[in-house]
Amino acid sequence: SRAGLSARTVAAPLGCRARALAQAAGVRTYEGPAAARMSPSTPAGAAAAKWAVAAAFLGVGATVLLVDPTVALLADPFPLFARDADVEVATTGWAEPETFGYVHGTDDPSMGWSRYVESMRIMALSPAAALLVGTNHSAAVARVVSARLDAEGAKLGFSGPGPGPRAWAERRVFNEEVVLPSANDVNRVGARYRVLDHRCFLSAGATVRQSGTLAAGSSAVLADVLAPPEAGAGAQGKYMCDVAAAVTEGTPLPAARWRAAWAKPQALRDLERSLTDKAMESRDFASWSDLGSRPGGACRPLPPRGPHTQPLNKIAPSAGAGWPVNCEGLEALCGTLRAAASAARPEVLAAVSNKNIHKMLGAFIDGLKAAQVTQFVLVALDEQTDDFGKQRGVHTYLRQVTARGGGTDNHATSGLKFRILKEFITVGCNVLLSDVDIIYMADPFAFLYRDTDVEGMSDGWDDATAYGVAHYPTPDPQLDWLSPHTSVRIFARNSGLFYVQATHEALALMERMAERMATEAVWDQSAYNQELFRPSSPVHAGVGASFRVMRSECFLNTKVLFRFLRPHPAFASHRPVSAHVNYHPEKEARMEDINKHYHLGEAGALDRWNSGEGLRDRSGGGSCMGKMGMGPTDDPHRLRPGETSGRRLATAVSDSGPWRWDGSGDIHFRADGSVTLGAPVGGGSATEGEWGVVDNQWRKTDTLWVRLDGRQYLLVFLRHNWSFVAVRCADELITYGQYDGTPFPSTHMY
């Protein structure tokens, strides 16, 4: 009533009491079959009914603002909707950049050269308040969310404090379906979504965090309000009325119910400052369970589970004999494509290269031929490369363009591919874009799903990192009844191998990327992930391209290959599709050995390499040589008198503690170079050992050396959260540790 929306409101009451309340308020009710068939007796059942009702309304072309009873409508929100997406939804966040999506850079020191890795992250969307526009995509989202909640129930949620099993389950399912990409047998609808302004559409967390500024004239038009458990039964209405009175009448929030400490504007990164990045410890390989034993091979596309992805918006849906299309000004490209592909199969594998990397390019072309890939086009950036391709008997497209700043290194030329891909898409050609540091073991076209605008490989290494999670948790002791705060997180999609379809959405993505590469000093892979992941919001216009992640155990990055697949029991029997040498600096040498292993059948061809950078020590002595940049002349040793002088890391660690390592606590690094442990680590038996500094030029500022049970470790410290990653030199076992004392230090280690 306050927002002037009574005449436009329909309630879907589940039960007699709810029906009586709606009727007493003069609100229309819907009690059709969509609501009646769902049982509200389980926590997830009510949420399933809610989304079934939404699907029914959307099915007749209505646009629906779906709100929970915990939401206080403070003004008419309809004028604030952009209506440029299938779904416009509130966020559970309360501050930028978390609410609108951002790059979460993280560190895996054990990889050495490639220790920095990016992931994309956004605070979970709030299904408590969402505008569902009357489109096929939004109706499909509502049907899928309802069906999943009905089938899977509250097992999807968290236990313990927080909004409760129903809210956790609903939030997780909704975010998986709207934010996460398709992967393996899991199809997503591919709906476009917009995140609403957190200052106007307040989540429960934002309502509390911004409670100090809730007053007359506030920009809030809608607020989700969840009373703390200690407030007791019946308090929910009081808290909602408090918010409404504060915004519409200027009445101060009652201090007895609203603690001033709640309004402390802590960003997500503040809450996580003392936490280690648990994603780096992720080892979820559920999708590998039948590796090496699946009929037809582990990499064949799986039958889809769930709804079919919505139809793609093709540029040339039925060109037939007229393919390629739009050839004016692109006659040379169209001529090449007519020779390399056909209207019946309008797709090619394309690689962009210049004269700087002909040796690697030659190995790449040899790999394509060994894998019997026929529809290949080499995009040559100079005449020398055009000649090189023709001599190798491949189709070439000479495109002499230069990168921003005129650079010709790998990163500079990599950014050019988006400008070139625009041309391929414009003429109606689907493209599997490939870097040349890739070895193919099979024709990749046989392993594509082709149901999204873009389908690409991941830099992730297991199910959670490659395919994403919709419930990445962040505890908040101050707001424990709203905690953990959850976010959606997925590790970088690699911009060196992706299949892009000739759709209008893919073209918009390539145009955006080409513009950014021409005008910004940005890493092309980072920009590519930003544009794929970040939705429309008050600060960004999303391109709306749908995405599928390629199987991480089939389209390999070399972290997967050397660290996780190589020791797997099915390694010998599993044949992947490709291996991209993106995690290691020894590109050509590793490519050669990958070719030996998969194409020439040389068992043990990969054994000489560390899982991180460098060659293994084959002496059997467990030396740290070659690990993370350690050289043959480096001499790690026990701390000597005076060696902490001028070394900020050693000074910070010496006589500090307690520390926790690999589950063991009460660990101390003594000033005399000894280490004492409350319990053994790494499966050993020692509770005493020794530690010292590392003089290697790459590791001396962030790494210490430890010996336990006669085995050597390198401990690489992360200064911002007083933690470390430990690499056992003999076998590259990775373990983790962190300062365990109280209070937790408020400054960086060094």
Side-chain angles (χ1 to χ4, degrees), residues 103-120 277 279-281 458-461 465-466 489-494 523 525-526 529 557 559 563 582-583:
V103 175
H104 182 143
T106 194
D107 197 354
D108 182 1
S110 65
M111 291 301 297
W113 176 79
S114 60
R115 61 184 292 176
Y116 176 71
V117 61
E118 291 187 342
S119 60
M120 295 303 301
D277 190 345
M280 301 312 297
E281 303 177 40
S458 172
D459 277 356
W461 54 91
T465 55
R489 187 175 182 189
I490 185 168
F491 274 70
R493 278 67 71 91
N494 191 279
W523 180 24
Q525 178 161 299
S526 186
N529 277 272
N557 63 59
K559 182 173 184 176
R563 174 162 291 176
N582 62 320
Y583 266 100

mmCIF file of all heavy atoms in Angstrom, residues 103-120 277 279-281 458-461 465-466 489-494 523 525-526 529 557 559 563 582-583:
data_model
loop_
_atom_site.group_PDB
_atom_site.id
_atom_site.type_symbol
_atom_site.label_atom_id
_atom_site.label_comp_id
_atom_site.label_asym_id
_atom_site.label_seq_id
_atom_site.Cartn_x
_atom_site.Cartn_y
_atom_site.Cartn_z
ATOM 1 N N VAL A 103 37.439 -8.989 -10.762
ATOM 2 C CA VAL A 103 38.530 -9.953 -10.875
ATOM 3 C C VAL A 103 39.102 -10.214 -9.485
ATOM 4 O O VAL A 103 39.506 -9.284 -8.788
ATOM 5 C CB VAL A 103 39.644 -9.425 -11.799
ATOM 6 C CG1 VAL A 103 40.832 -10.389 -11.817
ATOM 7 C CG2 VAL A 103 39.111 -9.207 -13.213
ATOM 8 N N HIS A 104 39.121 -11.472 -9.094
ATOM 9 C CA HIS A 104 39.731 -11.879 -7.831
ATOM 10 C C HIS A 104 41.055 -12.576 -8.166
ATOM 11 O O HIS A 104 41.074 -13.754 -8.519
ATOM 12 C CB HIS A 104 38.794 -12.814 -7.066
ATOM 13 C CG HIS A 104 39.313 -13.251 -5.731
ATOM 14 N ND1 HIS A 104 38.504 -13.426 -4.635
ATOM 15 C CD2 HIS A 104 40.563 -13.554 -5.285
ATOM 16 C CE1 HIS A 104 39.222 -13.815 -3.599
ATOM 17 N NE2 HIS A 104 40.482 -13.918 -3.991
ATOM 18 N N GLY A 105 42.140 -11.821 -8.107
ATOM 19 C CA GLY A 105 43.449 -12.406 -8.356
ATOM 20 C C GLY A 105 43.921 -13.187 -7.151
ATOM 21 O O GLY A 105 43.673 -12.797 -6.008
ATOM 22 N N THR A 106 44.583 -14.301 -7.397
ATOM 23 C CA THR A 106 45.065 -15.110 -6.292
ATOM 24 C C THR A 106 46.419 -15.710 -6.649
ATOM 25 O O THR A 106 46.911 -15.547 -7.764
ATOM 26 C CB THR A 106 44.042 -16.191 -5.922
ATOM 27 O OG1 THR A 106 44.361 -16.754 -4.654
ATOM 28 C CG2 THR A 106 43.997 -17.284 -6.975
ATOM 29 N N ASP A 107 46.994 -16.418 -5.706
ATOM 30 C CA ASP A 107 48.397 -16.792 -5.790
ATOM 31 C C ASP A 107 48.581 -18.274 -5.508
ATOM 32 O O ASP A 107 48.094 -18.780 -4.496
ATOM 33 C CB ASP A 107 49.183 -15.966 -4.762
ATOM 34 C CG ASP A 107 50.677 -15.958 -5.012
ATOM 35 O OD1 ASP A 107 51.136 -16.675 -5.908
ATOM 36 O OD2 ASP A 107 51.390 -15.225 -4.310
ATOM 37 N N ASP A 108 49.250 -18.970 -6.420
ATOM 38 C CA ASP A 108 49.664 -20.354 -6.182
ATOM 39 C C ASP A 108 51.182 -20.401 -6.327
ATOM 40 O O ASP A 108 51.707 -20.724 -7.396
ATOM 41 C CB ASP A 108 48.997 -21.295 -7.179
ATOM 42 C CG ASP A 108 49.373 -22.756 -6.928
ATOM 43 O OD1 ASP A 108 50.126 -23.033 -5.970
ATOM 44 O OD2 ASP A 108 48.919 -23.623 -7.702
ATOM 45 N N PRO A 109 51.917 -20.063 -5.270
ATOM 46 C CA PRO A 109 53.376 -19.978 -5.376
ATOM 47 C C PRO A 109 54.032 -21.263 -5.834
ATOM 48 O O PRO A 109 55.118 -21.228 -6.418
ATOM 49 C CB PRO A 109 53.805 -19.624 -3.946
ATOM 50 C CG PRO A 109 52.594 -19.039 -3.301
ATOM 51 C CD PRO A 109 51.432 -19.748 -3.910
ATOM 52 N N SER A 110 53.388 -22.402 -5.582
ATOM 53 C CA SER A 110 54.005 -23.681 -5.944
ATOM 54 C C SER A 110 54.178 -23.837 -7.450
ATOM 55 O O SER A 110 54.980 -24.651 -7.895
ATOM 56 C CB SER A 110 53.157 -24.838 -5.410
ATOM 57 O OG SER A 110 51.884 -24.860 -6.042
ATOM 58 N N MET A 111 53.452 -23.026 -8.257
ATOM 59 C CA MET A 111 53.592 -23.115 -9.707
ATOM 60 C C MET A 111 54.794 -22.328 -10.216
ATOM 61 O O MET A 111 55.219 -22.504 -11.356
ATOM 62 C CB MET A 111 52.326 -22.628 -10.400
ATOM 63 C CG MET A 111 51.130 -23.538 -10.225
ATOM 64 S SD MET A 111 51.400 -25.223 -10.832
ATOM 65 C CE MET A 111 51.669 -24.952 -12.577
ATOM 66 N N GLY A 112 55.337 -21.453 -9.390
ATOM 67 C CA GLY A 112 56.507 -20.680 -9.813
ATOM 68 C C GLY A 112 56.149 -19.620 -10.835
ATOM 69 O O GLY A 112 55.425 -18.671 -10.549
ATOM 70 N N TRP A 113 56.591 -19.783 -12.081
ATOM 71 C CA TRP A 113 56.426 -18.795 -13.153
ATOM 72 C C TRP A 113 54.981 -18.359 -13.323
ATOM 73 O O TRP A 113 54.692 -17.198 -13.581
ATOM 74 C CB TRP A 113 56.971 -19.400 -14.445
ATOM 75 C CG TRP A 113 56.813 -18.568 -15.677
ATOM 76 C CD1 TRP A 113 57.580 -17.505 -16.057
ATOM 77 C CD2 TRP A 113 55.844 -18.756 -16.720
ATOM 78 N NE1 TRP A 113 57.156 -17.013 -17.273
ATOM 79 C CE2 TRP A 113 56.088 -17.765 -17.699
ATOM 80 C CE3 TRP A 113 54.806 -19.662 -16.927
ATOM 81 C CZ2 TRP A 113 55.327 -17.658 -18.857
ATOM 82 C CZ3 TRP A 113 54.047 -19.558 -18.077
ATOM 83 C CH2 TRP A 113 54.317 -18.563 -19.028
ATOM 84 N N SER A 114 54.044 -19.275 -13.178
ATOM 85 C CA SER A 114 52.632 -18.974 -13.412
ATOM 86 C C SER A 114 51.843 -18.932 -12.107
ATOM 87 O O SER A 114 50.678 -19.316 -12.060
ATOM 88 C CB SER A 114 52.010 -20.019 -14.340
ATOM 89 O OG SER A 114 52.102 -21.303 -13.748
ATOM 90 N N ARG A 115 52.451 -18.440 -11.057
ATOM 91 C CA ARG A 115 51.815 -18.472 -9.738
ATOM 92 C C ARG A 115 50.563 -17.604 -9.672
ATOM 93 O O ARG A 115 49.637 -17.903 -8.926
ATOM 94 C CB ARG A 115 52.808 -18.035 -8.662
ATOM 95 C CG ARG A 115 53.341 -16.627 -8.813
ATOM 96 C CD ARG A 115 54.400 -16.298 -7.759
ATOM 97 N NE ARG A 115 53.850 -16.218 -6.426
ATOM 98 C CZ ARG A 115 54.593 -16.013 -5.334
ATOM 99 N NH1 ARG A 115 55.911 -15.899 -5.436
ATOM 100 N NH2 ARG A 115 54.025 -15.942 -4.143
ATOM 101 N N TYR A 116 50.502 -16.522 -10.445
ATOM 102 C CA TYR A 116 49.329 -15.649 -10.407
ATOM 103 C C TYR A 116 48.226 -16.229 -11.289
ATOM 104 O O TYR A 116 48.455 -16.598 -12.433
ATOM 105 C CB TYR A 116 49.682 -14.247 -10.896
ATOM 106 C CG TYR A 116 48.488 -13.305 -10.973
ATOM 107 C CD1 TYR A 116 47.885 -12.814 -9.820
ATOM 108 C CD2 TYR A 116 47.954 -12.931 -12.201
ATOM 109 C CE1 TYR A 116 46.799 -11.962 -9.882
ATOM 110 C CE2 TYR A 116 46.860 -12.082 -12.277
ATOM 111 C CZ TYR A 116 46.287 -11.596 -11.118
ATOM 112 O OH TYR A 116 45.197 -10.757 -11.189
ATOM 113 N N VAL A 117 47.033 -16.314 -10.741
ATOM 114 C CA VAL A 117 45.892 -16.815 -11.507
ATOM 115 C C VAL A 117 44.675 -15.975 -11.134
ATOM 116 O O VAL A 117 44.532 -15.532 -9.991
ATOM 117 C CB VAL A 117 45.648 -18.317 -11.220
ATOM 118 C CG1 VAL A 117 45.327 -18.572 -9.763
ATOM 119 C CG2 VAL A 117 44.552 -18.870 -12.111
ATOM 120 N N GLU A 118 43.836 -15.745 -12.117
ATOM 121 C CA GLU A 118 42.652 -14.919 -11.890
ATOM 122 C C GLU A 118 41.388 -15.766 -11.833
ATOM 123 O O GLU A 118 41.282 -16.798 -12.494
ATOM 124 C CB GLU A 118 42.500 -13.865 -12.992
ATOM 125 C CG GLU A 118 43.567 -12.790 -12.936
ATOM 126 C CD GLU A 118 43.332 -11.656 -13.909
ATOM 127 O OE1 GLU A 118 42.546 -11.835 -14.874
ATOM 128 O OE2 GLU A 118 43.934 -10.586 -13.716
ATOM 129 N N SER A 119 40.454 -15.292 -11.045
ATOM 130 C CA SER A 119 39.099 -15.836 -11.052
ATOM 131 C C SER A 119 38.140 -14.658 -11.109
ATOM 132 O O SER A 119 38.510 -13.517 -10.836
ATOM 133 C CB SER A 119 38.833 -16.676 -9.797
ATOM 134 O OG SER A 119 38.989 -15.893 -8.624
ATOM 135 N N MET A 120 36.918 -14.938 -11.513
ATOM 136 C CA MET A 120 35.872 -13.926 -11.521
ATOM 137 C C MET A 120 34.911 -14.216 -10.383
ATOM 138 O O MET A 120 34.623 -15.382 -10.074
ATOM 139 C CB MET A 120 35.127 -13.922 -12.857
ATOM 140 C CG MET A 120 35.971 -13.526 -14.051
ATOM 141 S SD MET A 120 36.760 -11.896 -13.914
ATOM 142 C CE MET A 120 35.320 -10.833 -13.725
ATOM 143 N N ASP A 277 42.969 -18.323 0.995
ATOM 144 C CA ASP A 277 42.101 -18.548 -0.153
ATOM 145 C C ASP A 277 41.866 -20.049 -0.293
ATOM 146 O O ASP A 277 42.673 -20.776 -0.864
ATOM 147 C CB ASP A 277 42.743 -17.976 -1.413
ATOM 148 C CG ASP A 277 41.784 -17.965 -2.592
ATOM 149 O OD1 ASP A 277 40.745 -18.638 -2.505
ATOM 150 O OD2 ASP A 277 42.082 -17.292 -3.593
ATOM 151 N N ALA A 279 40.003 -21.650 -2.154
ATOM 152 C CA ALA A 279 39.884 -22.153 -3.523
ATOM 153 C C ALA A 279 41.181 -22.783 -3.996
ATOM 154 O O ALA A 279 41.170 -23.720 -4.806
ATOM 155 C CB ALA A 279 39.470 -21.030 -4.466
ATOM 156 N N MET A 280 42.325 -22.284 -3.503
ATOM 157 C CA MET A 280 43.600 -22.829 -3.940
ATOM 158 C C MET A 280 43.827 -24.249 -3.425
ATOM 159 O O MET A 280 44.662 -24.981 -3.949
ATOM 160 C CB MET A 280 44.750 -21.915 -3.506
ATOM 161 C CG MET A 280 44.643 -20.490 -4.047
ATOM 162 S SD MET A 280 44.278 -20.414 -5.823
ATOM 163 C CE MET A 280 45.733 -21.188 -6.501
ATOM 164 N N GLU A 281 43.078 -24.640 -2.401
ATOM 165 C CA GLU A 281 43.183 -25.993 -1.864
ATOM 166 C C GLU A 281 42.137 -26.935 -2.466
ATOM 167 O O GLU A 281 42.056 -28.105 -2.093
ATOM 168 C CB GLU A 281 43.028 -25.959 -0.342
ATOM 169 C CG GLU A 281 44.044 -25.060 0.357
ATOM 170 C CD GLU A 281 43.820 -24.984 1.858
ATOM 171 O OE1 GLU A 281 43.507 -26.033 2.457
ATOM 172 O OE2 GLU A 281 43.948 -23.884 2.433
ATOM 173 N N SER A 458 39.302 -23.878 -19.617
ATOM 174 C CA SER A 458 39.435 -23.198 -18.330
ATOM 175 C C SER A 458 40.866 -23.265 -17.825
ATOM 176 O O SER A 458 41.606 -24.197 -18.118
ATOM 177 C CB SER A 458 38.507 -23.856 -17.302
ATOM 178 O OG SER A 458 38.735 -23.345 -16.005
ATOM 179 N N ASP A 459 41.231 -22.269 -17.032
ATOM 180 C CA ASP A 459 42.485 -22.318 -16.284
ATOM 181 C C ASP A 459 42.298 -22.998 -14.935
ATOM 182 O O ASP A 459 43.251 -23.126 -14.165
ATOM 183 C CB ASP A 459 43.027 -20.903 -16.062
ATOM 184 C CG ASP A 459 43.818 -20.391 -17.260
ATOM 185 O OD1 ASP A 459 44.005 -21.160 -18.216
ATOM 186 O OD2 ASP A 459 44.240 -19.219 -17.239
ATOM 187 N N GLY A 460 41.058 -23.407 -14.611
ATOM 188 C CA GLY A 460 40.818 -24.153 -13.381
ATOM 189 C C GLY A 460 41.398 -25.548 -13.460
ATOM 190 O O GLY A 460 41.796 -26.024 -14.522
ATOM 191 N N TRP A 461 41.440 -26.224 -12.330
ATOM 192 C CA TRP A 461 42.099 -27.532 -12.267
ATOM 193 C C TRP A 461 41.215 -28.632 -11.684
ATOM 194 O O TRP A 461 41.600 -29.792 -11.658
ATOM 195 C CB TRP A 461 43.372 -27.439 -11.423
ATOM 196 C CG TRP A 461 43.141 -26.859 -10.049
ATOM 197 C CD1 TRP A 461 42.846 -27.537 -8.901
ATOM 198 C CD2 TRP A 461 43.157 -25.473 -9.704
ATOM 199 N NE1 TRP A 461 42.675 -26.657 -7.866
ATOM 200 C CE2 TRP A 461 42.880 -25.376 -8.324
ATOM 201 C CE3 TRP A 461 43.400 -24.299 -10.424
ATOM 202 C CZ2 TRP A 461 42.817 -24.150 -7.654
ATOM 203 C CZ3 TRP A 461 43.347 -23.082 -9.755
ATOM 204 C CH2 TRP A 461 43.062 -23.014 -8.380
ATOM 205 N N THR A 465 36.827 -25.210 -9.461
ATOM 206 C CA THR A 465 37.508 -24.047 -10.042
ATOM 207 C C THR A 465 37.200 -23.886 -11.523
ATOM 208 O O THR A 465 37.081 -22.763 -12.017
ATOM 209 C CB THR A 465 39.026 -24.156 -9.828
ATOM 210 O OG1 THR A 465 39.508 -25.400 -10.362
ATOM 211 C CG2 THR A 465 39.369 -24.077 -8.348
ATOM 212 N N ALA A 466 37.052 -24.990 -12.244
ATOM 213 C CA ALA A 466 36.806 -24.898 -13.683
ATOM 214 C C ALA A 466 35.365 -24.530 -13.995
ATOM 215 O O ALA A 466 35.102 -23.715 -14.884
ATOM 216 C CB ALA A 466 37.164 -26.214 -14.365
ATOM 217 N N ARG A 489 31.841 -17.807 -7.814
ATOM 218 C CA ARG A 489 33.249 -17.681 -8.201
ATOM 219 C C ARG A 489 33.597 -18.758 -9.220
ATOM 220 O O ARG A 489 33.225 -19.924 -9.062
ATOM 221 C CB ARG A 489 34.151 -17.809 -6.975
ATOM 222 C CG ARG A 489 35.622 -17.513 -7.264
ATOM 223 C CD ARG A 489 36.456 -17.541 -5.999
ATOM 224 N NE ARG A 489 37.842 -17.216 -6.272
ATOM 225 C CZ ARG A 489 38.828 -17.329 -5.388
ATOM 226 N NH1 ARG A 489 38.570 -17.742 -4.150
ATOM 227 N NH2 ARG A 489 40.072 -17.013 -5.715
ATOM 228 N N ILE A 490 34.300 -18.344 -10.247
ATOM 229 C CA ILE A 490 34.765 -19.284 -11.267
ATOM 230 C C ILE A 490 36.131 -18.824 -11.758
ATOM 231 O O ILE A 490 36.364 -17.619 -11.917
ATOM 232 C CB ILE A 490 33.758 -19.382 -12.435
ATOM 233 C CG1 ILE A 490 34.188 -20.467 -13.437
ATOM 234 C CG2 ILE A 490 33.559 -18.050 -13.125
ATOM 235 C CD1 ILE A 490 33.113 -20.819 -14.453
ATOM 236 N N PHE A 491 37.041 -19.777 -11.960
ATOM 237 C CA PHE A 491 38.390 -19.406 -12.384
ATOM 238 C C PHE A 491 38.412 -19.105 -13.877
ATOM 239 O O PHE A 491 37.510 -19.465 -14.630
ATOM 240 C CB PHE A 491 39.388 -20.490 -11.989
ATOM 241 C CG PHE A 491 39.874 -20.296 -10.578
ATOM 242 C CD1 PHE A 491 39.024 -20.512 -9.500
ATOM 243 C CD2 PHE A 491 41.161 -19.851 -10.322
ATOM 244 C CE1 PHE A 491 39.443 -20.294 -8.204
ATOM 245 C CE2 PHE A 491 41.594 -19.632 -9.025
ATOM 246 C CZ PHE A 491 40.734 -19.849 -7.958
ATOM 247 N N ALA A 492 39.447 -18.402 -14.285
ATOM 248 C CA ALA A 492 39.508 -17.787 -15.608
ATOM 249 C C ALA A 492 39.261 -18.785 -16.724
ATOM 250 O O ALA A 492 39.792 -19.898 -16.731
ATOM 251 C CB ALA A 492 40.861 -17.114 -15.807
ATOM 252 N N ARG A 493 38.438 -18.362 -17.678
ATOM 253 C CA ARG A 493 38.311 -19.056 -18.945
ATOM 254 C C ARG A 493 39.489 -18.609 -19.815
ATOM 255 O O ARG A 493 39.745 -17.405 -19.932
ATOM 256 C CB ARG A 493 36.977 -18.687 -19.616
ATOM 257 C CG ARG A 493 35.783 -19.454 -19.128
ATOM 258 C CD ARG A 493 35.354 -19.183 -17.696
ATOM 259 N NE ARG A 493 34.749 -17.884 -17.482
ATOM 260 C CZ ARG A 493 33.444 -17.619 -17.557
ATOM 261 N NH1 ARG A 493 32.603 -18.568 -17.874
ATOM 262 N NH2 ARG A 493 32.976 -16.419 -17.284
ATOM 263 N N ASN A 494 40.201 -19.555 -20.376
ATOM 264 C CA ASN A 494 41.427 -19.224 -21.086
ATOM 265 C C ASN A 494 41.110 -18.614 -22.449
ATOM 266 O O ASN A 494 40.330 -19.170 -23.217
ATOM 267 C CB ASN A 494 42.285 -20.476 -21.253
ATOM 268 C CG ASN A 494 43.680 -20.165 -21.737
ATOM 269 O OD1 ASN A 494 43.889 -19.961 -22.925
ATOM 270 N ND2 ASN A 494 44.628 -20.130 -20.826
ATOM 271 N N TRP A 523 45.458 -6.923 -19.996
ATOM 272 C CA TRP A 523 45.732 -8.297 -20.428
ATOM 273 C C TRP A 523 44.488 -8.830 -21.123
ATOM 274 O O TRP A 523 43.370 -8.758 -20.586
ATOM 275 C CB TRP A 523 46.089 -9.136 -19.206
ATOM 276 C CG TRP A 523 46.404 -10.577 -19.476
ATOM 277 C CD1 TRP A 523 46.846 -11.123 -20.637
ATOM 278 C CD2 TRP A 523 46.301 -11.664 -18.538
ATOM 279 N NE1 TRP A 523 47.034 -12.477 -20.495
ATOM 280 C CE2 TRP A 523 46.709 -12.836 -19.225
ATOM 281 C CE3 TRP A 523 45.918 -11.753 -17.210
ATOM 282 C CZ2 TRP A 523 46.729 -14.077 -18.604
ATOM 283 C CZ3 TRP A 523 45.944 -12.990 -16.591
ATOM 284 C CH2 TRP A 523 46.353 -14.137 -17.281
ATOM 285 N N GLN A 525 43.320 -11.760 -21.692
ATOM 286 C CA GLN A 525 42.563 -12.808 -21.003
ATOM 287 C C GLN A 525 41.739 -12.232 -19.866
ATOM 288 O O GLN A 525 40.609 -12.649 -19.631
ATOM 289 C CB GLN A 525 43.482 -13.908 -20.482
ATOM 290 C CG GLN A 525 42.729 -14.992 -19.712
ATOM 291 C CD GLN A 525 43.493 -16.278 -19.571
ATOM 292 O OE1 GLN A 525 43.843 -16.915 -20.564
ATOM 293 N NE2 GLN A 525 43.774 -16.679 -18.346
ATOM 294 N N SER A 526 42.279 -11.279 -19.143
ATOM 295 C CA SER A 526 41.531 -10.659 -18.053
ATOM 296 C C SER A 526 40.308 -9.929 -18.596
ATOM 297 O O SER A 526 39.191 -10.067 -18.072
ATOM 298 C CB SER A 526 42.434 -9.692 -17.277
ATOM 299 O OG SER A 526 41.757 -9.184 -16.145
ATOM 300 N N ASN A 529 37.563 -12.397 -19.737
ATOM 301 C CA ASN A 529 36.783 -12.938 -18.629
ATOM 302 C C ASN A 529 35.848 -11.900 -18.035
ATOM 303 O O ASN A 529 34.713 -12.212 -17.650
ATOM 304 C CB ASN A 529 37.719 -13.504 -17.559
ATOM 305 C CG ASN A 529 38.175 -14.896 -17.887
ATOM 306 O OD1 ASN A 529 37.517 -15.872 -17.542
ATOM 307 N ND2 ASN A 529 39.305 -15.016 -18.572
ATOM 308 N N ASN A 557 44.707 -27.717 -19.484
ATOM 309 C CA ASN A 557 45.809 -26.793 -19.261
ATOM 310 C C ASN A 557 46.920 -27.618 -18.622
ATOM 311 O O ASN A 557 46.697 -28.741 -18.158
ATOM 312 C CB ASN A 557 45.378 -25.594 -18.403
ATOM 313 C CG ASN A 557 44.931 -25.996 -17.001
ATOM 314 O OD1 ASN A 557 45.680 -26.590 -16.232
ATOM 315 N ND2 ASN A 557 43.686 -25.644 -16.648
ATOM 316 N N LYS A 559 48.612 -27.230 -15.873
ATOM 317 C CA LYS A 559 48.530 -27.483 -14.435
ATOM 318 C C LYS A 559 47.742 -28.769 -14.210
ATOM 319 O O LYS A 559 48.116 -29.611 -13.382
ATOM 320 C CB LYS A 559 47.866 -26.312 -13.710
ATOM 321 C CG LYS A 559 47.793 -26.484 -12.195
ATOM 322 C CD LYS A 559 47.287 -25.225 -11.519
ATOM 323 C CE LYS A 559 47.289 -25.347 -10.009
ATOM 324 N NZ LYS A 559 46.875 -24.083 -9.343
ATOM 325 N N ARG A 563 50.179 -31.735 -12.815
ATOM 326 C CA ARG A 563 49.986 -31.861 -11.371
ATOM 327 C C ARG A 563 48.938 -32.892 -11.006
ATOM 328 O O ARG A 563 49.099 -33.621 -10.013
ATOM 329 C CB ARG A 563 49.625 -30.512 -10.751
ATOM 330 C CG ARG A 563 49.269 -30.590 -9.259
ATOM 331 C CD ARG A 563 49.341 -29.264 -8.560
ATOM 332 N NE ARG A 563 50.716 -28.797 -8.464
ATOM 333 C CZ ARG A 563 51.067 -27.617 -7.970
ATOM 334 N NH1 ARG A 563 50.146 -26.773 -7.559
ATOM 335 N NH2 ARG A 563 52.331 -27.269 -7.899
ATOM 336 N N ASN A 582 50.059 -23.493 -21.061
ATOM 337 C CA ASN A 582 49.879 -22.117 -20.606
ATOM 338 C C ASN A 582 50.413 -21.870 -19.209
ATOM 339 O O ASN A 582 50.632 -20.723 -18.828
ATOM 340 C CB ASN A 582 48.387 -21.751 -20.638
ATOM 341 C CG ASN A 582 47.552 -22.630 -19.709
ATOM 342 O OD1 ASN A 582 47.782 -23.828 -19.611
ATOM 343 N ND2 ASN A 582 46.578 -22.041 -19.050
ATOM 344 N N TYR A 583 50.642 -22.927 -18.437
ATOM 345 C CA TYR A 583 51.079 -22.755 -17.048
ATOM 346 C C TYR A 583 52.594 -22.859 -16.881
ATOM 347 O O TYR A 583 53.094 -22.742 -15.776
ATOM 348 C CB TYR A 583 50.416 -23.803 -16.152
ATOM 349 C CG TYR A 583 49.132 -23.345 -15.482
ATOM 350 C CD1 TYR A 583 47.886 -23.700 -15.978
ATOM 351 C CD2 TYR A 583 49.163 -22.563 -14.335
ATOM 352 C CE1 TYR A 583 46.707 -23.297 -15.356
ATOM 353 C CE2 TYR A 583 48.006 -22.162 -13.705
ATOM 354 C CZ TYR A 583 46.780 -22.528 -14.214
ATOM 355 O OH TYR A 583 45.618 -22.121 -13.592
#
